[in-house]
Amino acid sequence: MMEAWLTSFATFFATVGPIEAAVLFATFTASLPRERAREIAVRAVLIATLILMVFTLFGQPLLAQLGVSIAALQTAGGFILGVIALEMIFARKTSAFRLTAEEDAEAGASNDLAVFPLATPLLAGPGAMSAGIVLAANAAGDGWKAAGVVAGLSTVMVVTLGLLLAAPEIARGMGKTAQNVLIRVFGILLAAIAVQAVFDGLNASGLVGRAAT
């Protein structure tokens, strides 16, 4: 369970991006009263947690109904996480963690920042959703591993809530360089997890064994 928790924590921390989310949250709520900002933070994390839990617990059965195998899911999820990891490592401006210009403009005019863009796509984005499904698939019916995945997600969301509540202080105290260093470190960890997911998917598919014979 501990191994599953560590893997899940690192993966969700990298794909949810609590630190960058906190910095953006501080920007979005700079003109709001502190109590209103806290209310938005709590709602955003609760909604994002619900979305990710649904994808983690029920995403795999849904895909099974669509005829998608676990091997295909692991391989595809590994590639998706790999792309996100590369964007994190090289700090590309088109990173999946950043909002598009249209989304940023809509966020500025939105009356409910908790739903959009904070809960989704900032916290519960495609990368985090894919990560939940892949991690659940890797648990392969093992109850302890599945519990570790849920615990890892829960821990990350608790950390995310804490960072959002402390967003003004974090934005003032953490420079851009420190943020980029942390993002790159977790990008490297996510890249390794992504490669392992691809390996597991190829092994489960039997393609590697067939190619060797």
Side-chain angles (χ1 to χ4, degrees):
M1 179 176 176
M2 181 58 66
E3 180 181 354
W5 178 86
L6 287 173
T7 301
S8 300
F9 178 85
T11 303
F12 281 120
F13 195 96
T15 53
V16 172
I19 296 175
E20 186 163 338
V23 174
L24 290 175
F25 177 76
T27 301
F28 291 150
T29 60
S31 60
L32 297 179
R34 190 63 180 267
E35 289 302 317
R36 173 61 177 159
R38 289 180 176 177
E39 177 187 341
I40 291 174
V42 172
R43 289 189 62 223
V45 171
L46 288 176
I47 294 171
T49 301
L50 177 61
I51 293 173
L52 293 178
M53 281 293 184
V54 168
F55 271 85
T56 299
L57 298 176
F58 305 109
Q60 183 182 343
L62 175 61
L63 291 178
Q65 292 297 318
L66 299 176
V68 178
S69 68
I70 293 178
L73 176 63
Q74 289 174 314
T75 305
F79 281 121
I80 293 173
L81 296 181
V83 171
I84 295 174
L86 289 176
E87 290 180 340
M88 294 173 66
I89 293 170
F90 295 106
R92 293 175 56 183
K93 293 182 180 180
T94 57
S95 172
F97 294 100
R98 294 180 173 83
L99 301 177
T100 64
E102 293 79 8
E103 289 173 336
D104 188 63
E106 186 174 343
S110 176
N111 292 323
D112 194 355
L113 294 172
V115 177
F116 177 88
L118 293 175
T120 182
L122 194 58
L123 297 178
M129 294 176 190
S130 300
I133 297 175
V134 171
L135 289 168
N138 289 340
D142 187 317
W144 285 110
K145 287 184 179 179
V149 172
V150 172
L153 171 58
S154 301
T155 305
V156 169
M157 299 315 292
V158 169
V159 171
T160 300
L161 177 59
L163 291 176
L164 292 185
L165 293 176
E169 290 76 13
I170 293 174
R172 286 194 298 266
M174 179 179 287
K176 189 65 177 177
T177 300
Q179 296 173 35
N180 287 336
V181 168
L182 285 175
I183 290 173
R184 284 179 170 88
V185 168
F186 276 95
I188 293 172
L189 292 175
L190 183 60
I193 292 171
V195 171
Q196 186 61 54
V198 172
F199 286 169
D200 292 342
L202 292 176
N203 287 332
S205 70
L207 293 176
V208 175
R210 293 195 193 103
T213 56

